C-alpha cells in the first residue's frame, strides 16, 4: 500500500505579525520534514514584510525566507490544520475542538538585530525537531 494515499499531517503556526517566529518555524518545518508535513503560517495582525533579522538568521543555517510574505490568519487555515501552534497571539487565535493546540512561549524578534534573533531561531529549531518526531515517529 502506498504511503502517499495517507493524508499528510498539517501544522499551522500563528503569531501576531507572521513576520518572525511563525515564519522561522514554518521554514524549519518545511525544510526538516522534507515534504512529509503540510505547513502553513499566519498572523492575527500581519506585518507588511518579513523581519529582515529573521531572514538573515535563517540564511545563516541555509534556509531562504526572503520571498515569504506575512499572511492573515483565516478560519479556514485553522480548520484545515491538524496541529495549531500559537506564539503569543493569545485570544486572537480561533479555537476548534479536535485540533491539537500548542502555545510556544518565544521571545518576539520584532525590532531586534540578528544577534538577538539567533537564540530564538535555535529554540524554534529544537521545538520543530521534537514536533516532527511526534507527527512522523519513523522520521529518525
Amino acid at each position: 500500500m502506498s504511503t502517499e494515499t495517507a493524508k499528510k499531517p498539517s501544522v499551522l503556526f500563528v503569531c501576531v505579525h507572521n513576520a518572525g517566529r511563525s515564519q522561522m518555524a514554518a521554514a524549519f518545518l518545511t525544510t526538516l520534514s522534507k515534504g512529509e508535513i503540510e505547513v502553513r503560517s499566519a498572523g492575527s495582525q500581519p506585518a507588511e514584510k518579513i523581519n529582515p533579522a529573521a531572514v538573515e538568521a535563517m540564511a545563516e543555517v541555509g534556509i531562504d525566507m526572503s520571498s515569504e510574505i506575512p499572511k492573515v490568519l483565516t478560519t479556514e487555515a485553522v480548520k484545515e490544520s491538524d496541529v495549531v501552534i500559537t506564539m503569543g497571539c493569545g485570544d486572537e487565535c480561533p479555537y476548534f475542538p479536535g485540533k491539537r493546540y500548542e502555545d510556544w512561549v518565544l521571545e518576539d524578534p520584532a525590532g531586534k538585530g540578528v544577534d538577538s534573533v539567533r537564540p530564538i531561531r535555535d529554540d524554534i529549531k529544537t521545538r520543530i525537531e521534537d514536533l516532527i518526531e511526534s507527527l512522523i515517529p519513523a522520521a529518525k
Side-chain angles (χ1 to χ4, degrees):
M1 180 173 277
S2 170
T3 54
E4 291 177 337
T5 57
K7 182 184 177 296
K8 283 191 220 179
S10 58
V11 176
L12 169 64
F13 296 100
V14 183
C15 66
V16 177
H17 298 118
N18 190 223
R21 295 167 291 187
S22 56
Q23 290 282 357
M24 287 191 286
F28 269 130
L29 185 55
T30 298
T31 301
L32 298 175
S33 72
K34 299 176 176 70
E36 295 295 311
I37 298 172
E38 193 175 324
V39 182
R40 299 179 181 89
S41 73
S44 52
Q45 299 168 17
E48 287 185 24
K49 62 182 175 130
I50 300 293
N51 179 333
V55 171
E56 184 180 341
M58 293 300 284
E60 291 176 352
V61 295
I63 298 175
D64 180 8
M65 289 191 340
S66 60
S67 62
E68 295 297 326
I69 54 167
K71 295 168 275 306
V72 69
L73 176 64
T74 64
T75 304
E76 287 69 38
V78 178
K79 279 185 185 172
E80 292 170 9
S81 301
D82 300 314
V83 180
V84 179
I85 296 175
T86 56
M87 304 170 172
C89 65
D91 295 336
E92 294 183 46
C93 297
Y95 178 84
F96 291 98
K99 304 273 177 217
R100 173 175 150 194
Y101 284 87
E102 292 183 22
D103 185 46
W104 291 1
V105 179
L106 296 160
E107 192 177 338
D108 188 346
K112 293 181 170 43
V114 72
D115 290 340
S116 300
V117 174
R118 283 186 193 108
I120 302 167
R121 173 201 66 201
D122 296 343
D123 184 5
I124 290 171
K125 182 179 183 198
T126 300
R127 291 170 188 249
I128 292 297
E129 290 167 341
D130 292 342
L131 178 66
I132 291 170
E133 274 189 50
S134 77
L135 293 173
I136 309 172
K140 293 245 165 170

